[in-house]
Amino acid sequence: MADPARARRIAERTKQLVTQGLSQVVKDERVGFITITDVRVTGDLQHASVFYTVLGDDADRETAAEILQDYRGRLRSFVGKGLGIRLTPTLEFILDALPEDAQHMDDLLRRVAERDAELAAGRVATGYAGEADPYRKPRTDETDEQVADAEPLPDGLPDDQASGADRSR
């Protein structure tokens, strides 16, 4: 098993070489816009998964997959010469789903923003569920006198306990 740092370096170099190989080795006018997004190499450096995207529609993606499959051996030879290691990794080309995932996320975020705008508009049109000012107000002297007059003293308690006087004598 190779060092993970070495595997990362070989993956980066393989990415560069495959990108160069697309312009130098592949002589097909149907290639279009192929972008190599990532390369992952196994720990034993025997296999490289090359992720790519294609600018265009489904037909362009299918054409690019066919071309990459046809030129896989020549690209592997080109990568092997450029890497200069004993064993050249096999190349597997995988269509990267990143653009579709990004489009899906954009659609979700757009729907969430529309829903937030609807809720904000609904909030403006509605009023308070209770009173307009639900917070307690500080008592004034006038209301304290009314409360004191309105509360009867409990039966059976001495006057000092009923009035709340200090019991710590």
Side-chain angles (χ1 to χ4, degrees), residues 91-110:
L91 300 178
E92 177 187 13
F93 292 99
I94 301 169
L95 182 63
D96 198 356
L98 183 68
E100 290 83 15
D101 292 344
Q103 180 64 35
H104 178 68
M105 290 299 290
D106 286 341
D107 291 341
L108 289 176
L109 290 173
R110 181 186 44 78

Side-chain angles (χ1 to χ4, degrees), residues 5-166:
R6 182 171 186 231
R8 279 193 307 272
R9 287 193 310 270
I10 289 176
E12 284 299 316
R13 183 67 180 143
T14 303
K15 180 179 175 181
Q16 293 170 355
L17 290 170
V18 169
T19 304
Q20 288 176 0
L22 286 175
S23 63
Q24 294 176 7
V25 174
V26 179
K27 302 294 182 188
D28 196 332
E29 63 274 354
R30 301 175 298 152
V31 169
F33 295 106
I34 298 175
T35 304
I36 305 300
T37 57
D38 192 21
V39 174
R40 295 185 185 151
V41 178
T42 57
D44 60 358
L45 307 178
Q46 297 295 311
H47 182 76
S49 299
V50 181
F51 295 91
Y52 69 96
T53 60
V54 179
L55 183 64
D57 57 358
D58 289 335
D60 293 334
R61 289 185 188 102
E62 291 174 13
T63 303
E66 291 172 7
I67 291 171
L68 289 173
Q69 188 65 28
D70 292 342
Y71 283 89
R72 185 171 58 174
R74 293 183 197 145
L75 286 171
R76 182 177 181 215
S77 297
F78 184 79
V79 168
K81 290 175 187 173
L83 284 178
I85 58 176
R86 185 170 64 94
L87 295 172
T88 303
T90 59
L91 300 178
E92 177 187 13
F93 292 99
I94 301 169
L95 182 63
D96 198 356
L98 183 68
E100 290 83 15
D101 292 344
Q103 180 64 35
H104 178 68
M105 290 299 290
D106 286 341
D107 291 341
L108 289 176
L109 290 173
R110 181 186 44 78
R111 289 194 337 220
V112 167
E114 290 172 358
R115 181 68 179 142
D116 284 347
E118 289 174 9
L119 290 174
R123 248 183 270 128
V124 170
T126 60
Y128 293 106
E131 299 176 15
D133 188 12
Y135 300 104
R136 291 185 178 176
K137 303 285 186 230
R139 292 186 178 181
T140 60
D141 291 335
E142 183 178 295
T143 57
D144 287 339
E145 291 172 3
Q146 292 171 355
V147 170
D149 291 338
E151 293 180 13
L153 293 176
D155 294 333
L157 292 177
D159 289 338
D160 61 340
Q161 288 182 354
S163 64
D166 187 20

